[in-house]
Amino acid sequence: MNRRNVAVSGLLAGLAATSLSLVAGCSDTVWRNLTKERTGNISMQFINNTRYRAAFSFGTWDASDRTPGPVTLQQLRVPANTSSTAATVPCRRNAAVGTKNFVDRVVATKTDQTTTTFDPDSFDKVVHFSAAASDSDAAALPTAGTALGVEKLLGVDYSCADLLIFTFWEDPDAEGGFRVDYEVVLDQVQQ
């Protein structure tokens, strides 16, 4: 083999090793998400530690289901400095508060058109924070700002039967002036 072939072979081997290591990091997350047992439900709870009403859409779906498969859509308006009761939703591979992926799946499955209590003012890829009166037309509009949506993955961030807690905070450094923190309370059976 001449020097040029050795150099090209070495370059190709290096590129292959780098590609495999990059894919391995991503594939671990994908592997855990796609192989984790998916049965039953999860609970989602929201704590609003802000001075404003939070209005948002949340739910679960399977991003790997390209048909597209079913999506669970729920919507809430959580008053300032309060928390919601825990909502029970089907355990699926993706759980989100807002996010473009979640909104796109809802629209693709026309779930927004078949939900009888659908609130278009709370349907967005971000969480809305409103300073408007609760009985006004702007009650769910982002008059005070927004927080970026959050998506979590089964097998990576939670397991079926877990409680997912999302806490809203005012944060002048965050895009929109607010942020969403996440924690999980593991199901007692899994501990």
Side-chain angles (χ1 to χ4, degrees), residues 61 63 71 94 96 98-106 125 151:
W61 79 103
V71 60
N94 305 74
T99 78
K100 182 178 183 330
N101 289 337
F102 178 65
V103 167
D104 288 349
R105 181 56 58 107
V106 168
K125 64 182 180 179
E151 182 178 332

Side-chain angles (χ1 to χ4, degrees), residues 11-45:
L11 176 63
L12 291 176
L15 288 173
T18 301
S19 296
L20 285 175
S21 66
L22 289 174
V23 169
C26 293
S27 66
D28 180 54
T29 297
V30 171
W31 174 260
R32 289 189 295 154
N33 178 246
L34 293 177
T35 60
K36 182 70 174 173
E37 182 181 353
R38 186 193 62 175
T39 60
N41 298 308
I42 60 170
S43 297
M44 298 175 76
Q45 185 174 20

Side-chain angles (χ1 to χ4, degrees), residues 3-83:
R3 285 183 192 217
R4 183 171 182 217
N5 289 344
V6 170
V8 170
S9 295
L11 176 63
L12 291 176
L15 288 173
T18 301
S19 296
L20 285 175
S21 66
L22 289 174
V23 169
C26 293
S27 66
D28 180 54
T29 297
V30 171
W31 174 260
R32 289 189 295 154
N33 178 246
L34 293 177
T35 60
K36 182 70 174 173
E37 182 181 353
R38 186 193 62 175
T39 60
N41 298 308
I42 60 170
S43 297
M44 298 175 76
Q45 185 174 20
F46 305 92
I47 301 170
N48 185 0
N49 284 335
T50 76
R51 300 174 287 159
Y52 307 99
R53 178 182 321 96
F56 54 94
S57 298
F58 68 97
T60 58
W61 79 103
D62 291 329
S64 60
D65 185 352
R66 300 293 180 200
T67 6
V71 60
T72 298
L73 167 66
Q74 293 195 18
Q75 297 177 298
L76 280 178
R77 294 182 184 185
V78 181
N81 297 305
T82 64
S83 60

Side-chain angles (χ1 to χ4, degrees), residues 111-183:
T111 303
D112 54 324
Q113 297 173 24
T114 59
T115 301
T116 56
T117 59
F118 182 72
D119 178 6
D121 293 339
S122 297
F123 186 61
D124 201 346
K125 64 182 180 179
V126 295
V127 177
H128 294 176
F129 293 90
S130 180
S134 62
D135 59 351
S136 76
D137 289 343
L141 299 179
T143 63
T146 61
L148 295 176
V150 175
E151 182 178 332
K152 298 299 174 183
L153 299 174
L154 177 67
V156 178
D157 302 302
Y158 65 91
S159 297
C160 294
D162 287 351
L163 169 63
L164 287 59
I165 301 172
F166 299 88
T167 305
F168 305 138
W169 298 96
E170 291 182 61
D171 185 347
D173 296 328
E175 184 177 327
F178 296 84
R179 74 172 194 271
V180 181
D181 289 350
Y182 167 79
E183 64 183 294

